[in-house]
Structures are given as C-alpha cells and as structure tokens.
Amino acid sequence: MIKRLPVIFILIFSSWYVTSQSLYMPRDIKKAYQHQTRSNDGNPGLKYWQNTARYDIKISAFPPSRLITGWEKIIYTNNSPDTLRSLVIKLIQNIHKAGAPRFGEAPENYLTEGVFIDSFSINGLMKRPGINQPSSTVQPVRLSKPLATHDRVELFFAWHYQLSLKSGREGMIDSTTYFLAYFYPRVAVYDDYNGWDRLTFNDALEFYNDFNDYTLSVTVPKNYIVWATGDLQNASEVLNPEFIRRLEQSKKSDVTMHIVTTADIAGKNITTQNSINTWKFNYNDISDVAVGLSDHYVWDGAGAQVDDRSGRRASIQAAFNDTAKDFHHMVDYGRNSLVWLSHNFPGVPYPFPKMTVFQGYAGMEYPMMANDETNADFSFSHFVAEHEISHTWFPFYMGINETRYGFMDEGWATAFELLYNRSVMSGDSADEFYRQFRLNDWINDPSANKDLPIITPGENLGQEALGDNEYGKPSLAYLAVKDLLGDELFKKCLLAFMESWHSKHPIPWDFFNSFNQTSGINLNWFWNNWFFTNNYTDIGIQNITTNKQGALVEIRNIGGFAVPIDLQVTFTDGSIKSIHKSPAIWEQNQKQVTISVSGTKVFRSAQILSGIFVDADEGNNTWKK
C-alpha cells in the first residue's frame, strides 16, 4: 500500500523536480521567452513574428561565358516590433573572393572577384553601390528613413559575377552546364532572439533564410533547358509541344519516362527556336531558389502520390549527362524516397509540387532541387539522393537556422537516412553503413573536440567537430529518444513539432519543449544528457551476481550518453535470452544501472550488443563465468 502524501508536499516536490531538470538557456534566448515570442509549451508564443519579402529576380546566362548578370526588386516587410534603421544584405558569392574567411584552403579554380553591384536603390532613391567591399558575404545598408513596424521598403539591385570554375555547391559543372545557387543579393534574417543574422558564410556552415515569395526569370540561349525551384509558368513559350506533353505525362506516370533523350538533343528542337528564351518560375512561402541549366543534359521524370488523403502527386525529375549510369535510376531513387518520407518518417506529405535531382558535384540540398554527384556505386547514389531530398522537411518545411544549429536539420536527415536505408537494404547492411559513414570516425577518435556539446553554436566549432555535432551525434540522439518513447508517441511528437513550426524559425529549445509537451513527459534530463554535455557512447558490464532467483547485471555508463541497452545472456544449456532497455533506464542514475534477469538457469556468459550506438571500448561489453 502507498501512503498518500500531503498535497503541499507533492506541489513542492513537483516544483523542485521541474527546476532540477531545467536546461541551460543563453540569455538572448531567455529574452525571447520573456517577450512571449516563444512559449514554454513548445509552440510559437502569442507575440511570435518573423519578417518576409517578395523577390522578383531576373538573371541571364550565356555559356560558355561564365558571366551571370541579374537584377531584382525586393519588397521587404518589417513584422517585428522594432524600428529598423539599417538592413543586412547577404552576398554569398563573395565567398569566392581572395581573402574571404572560409573553412580550409580554396581549391584550384575556386576564386573569382565576387559580386559587383552595378546599381542599388532604396524606395526609388539611387545609392552609391558602396557594398562592393572586399571579402565579405555580409553587408550592412543604412536606411535614410527608419523602417517602422508593419512598414515595408523597396530595394532594387543590379549585379553581375563570374561563375566559379570549381565550387561544389554551385558553379560551372562543365562548359555548357551551370548550377546557380546563392546567386542573388538577399536580405538577412532579422529574428526575435538574435536580431540581424550577421554571420559570414565560410563555405562549411550552411544557411538561415526567411520564407519569401519568389518570381524568377532565367534568360538563356535557345536549346538550353532550365530547371529551377518553383512552378514553370510559361512552358508553351520555351518548350516545343511534344516535350510539354511528355513532361505532363511523366507527372501522371509511376514509372520513369524520358522527357528529353540524347536523340532529342541532337535534333536541336526541344526549345522554342528564338535566339534566346526566358524561363519563368514562381513559388510563394519558400526559403530560397536554385537553378540548373544545360544544352546537353537529358531529362527524366515520373510522379508519386505523396498524400493519400487528398491523392496529391508530386513530380520527381532528373537532369544529367547521359554518361552518368547511376542517374538513369535517379528518378526511381527519388520517387522511392518521396513516397517513403511522406508516409513513414517524418510522415508529412512532401509539401512541394516537384523535386529535381541535377547532376553536379556537391551532394547539396535546395528547395525542390538537389545538386548531386555521380557515383560508380549505385547504392551510394541512392543514399545521397534520399538524404538531400529529406532536407525538404528540415530546413525547407521548418526554417532551421542551419548556420548556428545545423544539428536541427542534418541530424534529422541523417536519422531519416538510416530508417529509410533499413527499408531498401537489409537491416544489418543499413546499420553497418550508418556506423561506418556517420559514427566510426567520431567514436574512434578520443580528441577533445570530438566530444563538444551538440548545442555548441556552429560558428564556434572547428570543421571536424562540426561534422560530428551536426550529423552523427544528433542523429543518435533522435534515434535514442525514438527508442525511449516508442514509434507511435515519437511520431506524434515529431508531427506536432513540425505542425507548430512549419514556415517558422524553431530553435532547439522549441524542439525540446514541444516534445515534452506532446509526450506528457519531462524529457529535460535526456536533452541535457545528449545535447548539453561532453558525453560519448561507452557502456560496460561492471559485475554480475547470481542467486537462486536469477541474476543482477550491473552496467556502468562510462561515456555518459543515455543509450539503449541490448543485453544478450547465454546459459549453460545453450539457450539465449535477449533483454532490451530503452534509454529511460538511465533517468534516475546516469552512471550505473542494474538489470535483473529472473530464472533458475545457470549463466555462461553475457554480452552488451551496441548496434548503432557504437561503443568506444567494447572490451568491457562481455562477461564470462
């Protein structure tokens, strides 16, 4: 019988428990919660806001010239409670300037002279293009008239730059094939916890963008096809009828169709035969746009039903050099990925009308686009395609600050990657691939920078620690909490978080609070254990004592991370008993736990099977009588 405690004691104990489980929170983020822009229940606060803009962009490319010219009009709206006396402009292409701060040395043919601003105006008043400063991807612009709350300002830019010969994420793929990304001046994010995003792009940390409305026009010579973010608005003006028919038919097909073949390219009659063609795209409430163009890439496509409730389909397309053998399967890889991700994890139907995988060099994601390299290993190509497509949800459905909290998008993409691979590979093969590609380098290197807390802002990490903290370690944390909650509750929490923060800017504390609220469980002990410590994965059998009723197995947590325990016991009669304990077993004591094994059989040996939770020292994982 349990003795009833006085109500006042219960209240005091509950208050102490919640306080004792609180998480570290930086002072600037505390202010956001105090100002009610964010809520402790994991939802946007009553006073949440974010700024937005409408971009009308026109660019021209005439290969083999590497000159890219453009102009744009930006209507930027200040939804913040603050009066803005200046704006911050991102000029990402300045990463190619000599002297720009970047991770690692610039490879051969990487450098250019950066972006040249040919003209610039604010509300129709021309300004001197004084933002052509050397080696800077971030440029402040002073406003002659402060921008009040709920007011808007109109900006105009005309600019040009030389495409890099060897960039990776964007640039020249070959002499007549270009991939254009981060090619336009953009207004940086102004948010409720950090103000202006003034972090410079260093070619390793990724991006943080507002959700904007985009109209994009791309002018190229005839016989060039353009693939881009958004809906193609003028197919009849740039494509001849047969290829429009094939494109539309492919969207309804469940098998790969050839929209443009090598024979079609040789016939030089795919596009409208004007000397130049302007391809027009648009899309609203999206965080970026990217463009691929070529005069010799073939074009495949198919469709996939991504939303069973509405029957909505999405188009999956591939643009590639016909010699890339793996890309002949790319539409299948992409289609399988879209269907699985939409129906399983994360389980939100693919939100866009299409996805294009463009053959390039980067293995890099963009809204509705991926720039993926070709590989001789087809399974690796499949893996890369799925990973980049999974970024659709993090950071393009959720507006993650990838620069500072990259583990909120790369960690999820890496977790989804393992779960997806288990559906297309044998479980053992998928797990082994995950360990080798995502974890072994971290766990086998005892260097101090390998064990920095995941929560460490990305701009404060070196390159090796950045990879560990954005991919492997956080993916393990997400998979560990999945094990702790069980698939059904875990998915309920994930979907609630995504619904609350779709087209908004969540930060880690929003994620932690959202999962706590939806699950009804205070998981702060777990979040603290995985995200705010220098822990790693290493558990071992400390001791085993037997008696007539069974045995007590003492397991020590040497590395500190709260990992699942898979204990395999072998008895003298040859039988085996497997015991699984979720990470919840570590809640009360994160140093040592005891597992009771009931029964009268005599122990021969016991072993901890680490599985995907790679163990730094497996020498203490086995006990023999």
Side-chain angles (χ1 to χ4, degrees):
M1 179 179 180
I2 299 174
K3 186 177 179 179
R4 293 185 180 274
L5 296 172
V7 173
I8 186 67
F9 180 84
I10 294 174
L11 291 174
I12 291 172
F13 178 81
S14 299
S15 177
W16 169 84
Y17 181 78
V18 171
T19 302
S20 69
Q21 299 295 304
S22 63
L23 302 174
Y24 161 75
M25 184 179 289
R27 287 172 286 173
D28 55 357
I29 291 175
K30 281 183 181 179
K31 289 181 180 179
Y33 284 88
Q34 292 165 0
H35 294 161
Q36 298 181 36
T37 56
R38 296 170 193 270
S39 171
N40 288 321
D41 65 6
N43 291 306
L46 293 173
K47 298 181 180 179
Y48 180 81
W49 56 266
Q50 64 190 44
N51 292 348
T52 190
R54 176 174 288 277
Y55 285 75
D56 183 4
I57 306 171
K58 294 179 171 59
I59 59 170
S60 298
F62 294 95
S65 168
R66 293 188 291 120
L67 178 66
I68 307 298
T69 59
W71 71 260
E72 69 182 346
K73 182 173 72 173
I74 307 172
I75 299 175
Y76 180 77
T77 301
N78 177 22
N79 295 316
S80 81
D82 307 320
T83 297
L84 304 179
R85 289 173 171 77
S86 63
L87 304 177
V88 173
I89 306 298
K90 294 289 184 90
L91 301 172
I92 303 298
Q93 286 295 325
N94 278 350
I95 187 65
H96 293 290
K97 282 190 171 185
R102 62 179 68 88
F103 271 23
E105 296 182 3
E108 185 179 2
N109 296 324
Y110 177 92
L111 297 179
T112 70
E113 295 182 342
V115 182
F116 290 86
I117 303 298
D118 301 312
S119 60
F120 168 48
S121 70
I122 301 177
N123 287 332
L125 181 63
M126 297 300 295
K127 302 286 186 180
R128 287 195 316 163
I131 58 176
N132 288 318
Q133 297 179 14
S135 308
S136 178
T137 62
V138 177
Q139 298 289 343
V141 173
R142 188 77 178 175
L143 296 173
S144 54
K145 178 185 176 183
L147 186 63
T149 301
H150 302 307
D151 203 355
R152 65 184 190 177
V153 62
E154 182 178 299
L155 310 175
F156 172 84
F157 288 95
W159 76 95
H160 70 274
Y161 71 96
Q162 289 284 330
L163 206 61
S164 174
L165 285 166
K166 187 67 175 178
S167 179
R169 297 173 191 263
E170 41 74 33
M172 190 179 79
I173 309 303
D174 60 46
S175 61
T176 58
T177 304
Y178 296 168
F179 193 87
L180 310 180
Y182 330 122
F183 55 86
Y184 58 97
R186 67 185 71 186
V187 182
V189 174
Y190 183 81
D191 64 29
D192 61 318
Y193 66 91
N194 191 50
W196 284 112
D197 172 27
R198 298 177 184 272
L199 294 175
T200 58
F201 177 57
N202 63 11
D203 215 18
L205 298 173
E206 293 183 359
F207 303 93
Y208 184 31
N209 299 318
D210 277 320
F211 288 89
N212 304 306
D213 296 344
Y214 287 92
T215 299
L216 172 66
S217 300
V218 185
T219 299
V220 292
K222 67 179 179 181
N223 299 321
Y224 275 80
I225 302 173
V226 177
W227 300 265
T229 302
D231 292 317
L232 178 61
Q233 299 296 296
N234 64 334
S236 63
E237 296 177 8
V238 294
L239 285 171
N240 282 325
E242 171 60 18
F243 301 98
I244 297 174
R245 184 192 67 79
R246 293 184 198 175
L247 174 60
E248 293 305 311
Q249 188 177 0
S250 74
K251 296 175 184 179
K252 302 172 186 177
S253 173
D254 290 330
V255 296
T256 300
M257 294 188 60
H258 303 307
I259 302 168
V260 170
T261 66
T262 51
D264 297 323
I265 293 168
K268 294 187 179 299
N269 195 38
I270 301 163
T271 71
T272 307
Q273 292 299 293
N274 304 311
S275 59
I276 60 172
N277 289 313
T278 298
W279 298 63
K280 299 178 182 179
F281 303 84
N282 86 318
Y283 209 80
N284 294 340
D285 193 32
I286 201 166
S287 57
D288 199 4
V289 290
V291 177
L293 59 95
S294 179
D295 68 345
H296 63 276
Y297 268 21
V298 297
W299 187 3
D300 284 353
Q305 183 168 305
V306 293
D307 189 345
D308 292 343
R309 181 174 299 180
S310 66
R312 181 173 61 84
R313 296 174 65 86
S315 171
I316 176 70
Q317 302 172 28
F320 56 98
N321 194 322
D322 194 54
T323 59
K325 295 181 180 179
D326 54 336
F327 266 77
H328 286 274
H329 305 276
M330 191 57 69
V331 167
D332 287 339
Y333 298 158
R335 187 177 183 279
N336 292 340
S337 300
L338 285 184
V339 171
W340 191 92
L341 291 161
S342 296
H343 291 85
N344 294 280
F345 289 104
V348 173
Y350 182 74
F352 302 131
K354 69 177 183 184
M355 179 71 206
T356 302
V357 183
F358 189 89
Q359 183 194 337
Y361 296 121
M364 184 64 194
E365 71 278 359
Y366 315 83
M368 302 188 217
M369 299 283 285
N371 174 2
D372 287 355
E373 59 272 40
T374 181
N375 291 282
D377 182 347
F378 287 16
S379 62
F380 192 81
S381 300
H382 192 167
F383 146 72
V384 171
E386 184 279 334
H387 180 94
E388 307 313 338
I389 290 172
S390 71
H391 276 298
T392 295
W393 290 269
F394 299 87
F396 303 136
Y397 187 82
M398 319 276 289
I400 305 300
N401 184 342
E402 301 173 87
T403 312
R404 179 156 291 176
Y405 302 121
F407 64 85
M408 293 186 71
D409 78 300
E410 294 293 357
W412 281 112
T414 303
F416 297 153
E417 152 198 315
L418 170 66
L419 299 175
Y420 174 76
N421 281 346
R422 284 175 173 173
S423 75
V424 295
M425 304 165 65
S426 69
D428 290 344
S429 297
D431 289 5
E432 179 60 24
F433 182 87
Y434 175 62
R435 285 191 295 267
Q436 288 187 4
F437 193 65
R438 298 301 192 188
L439 302 174
N440 285 350
D441 179 67
W442 158 61
I443 203 63
N444 292 324
D445 185 346
S447 303
N449 68 348
K450 291 287 185 177
D451 295 329
L452 294 174
I454 295 172
I455 201 71
T456 307
E459 67 269 25
N460 296 321
L461 294 169
Q463 194 159 12
E464 286 192 6
L466 191 70
D468 296 327
N469 276 18
E470 291 193 353
Y471 294 81
K473 287 162 65 177
S475 69
L476 274 182
Y478 301 140
L479 294 166
V481 79
K482 176 177 177 289
D483 187 274
L484 189 157
L485 294 175
D487 282 3
E488 184 177 352
L489 183 54
F490 173 78
K491 190 168 184 178
K492 178 181 177 182
C493 292
L494 180 58
L495 294 179
F497 171 55
M498 296 180 72
E499 182 180 355
S500 294
W501 290 95
H502 169 44
S503 292
K504 297 180 176 66
H505 293 311
I507 55 178
W509 292 266
D510 301 316
F511 163 67
F512 302 143
N513 290 335
S514 178
F515 264 59
N516 289 355
Q517 178 74 16
T518 304
S519 68
I521 303 171
N522 188 338
L523 293 167
N524 282 355
W525 72 270
F526 180 89
W527 308 131
N528 184 69
N529 176 279
W530 270 92
F531 290 87
F532 294 85
T533 69
N534 298 80
N535 290 340
Y536 57 98
T537 52
D538 185 10
I539 59 177
I541 299 175
Q542 177 80 3
N543 188 36
I544 294 181
T545 58
T546 60
N547 53 44
K548 292 181 179 180
Q549 287 73 42
L552 297 175
V553 181
E554 297 175 17
I555 297 177
R556 188 158 63 99
N557 194 343
I558 302 150
F561 273 152
V563 299
I565 299 174
D566 285 291
L567 181 67
Q568 182 174 283
V569 177
T570 302
F571 301 99
T572 54
D573 65 358
S575 61
I576 295 174
K577 183 174 186 176
S578 297
I579 299 170
H580 177 80
K581 296 292 183 182
S582 86
I585 195 172
W586 300 104
E587 180 176 3
Q588 299 304 319
N589 185 343
Q590 293 172 31
K591 297 296 184 183
Q592 184 169 307
V593 295
T594 299
I595 296 176
S596 176
V597 183
S598 60
T600 59
K601 291 184 178 181
V602 180
F603 270 48
R604 175 189 294 166
S605 63
Q607 182 181 8
I608 294 172
L609 306 176
S610 55
I612 61 171
F613 292 88
V614 289
D615 200 286
D617 178 12
E618 294 190 344
N620 54 18
N621 286 17
T622 303
W623 176 91
K624 292 184 178 179
K625 187 173 180 181

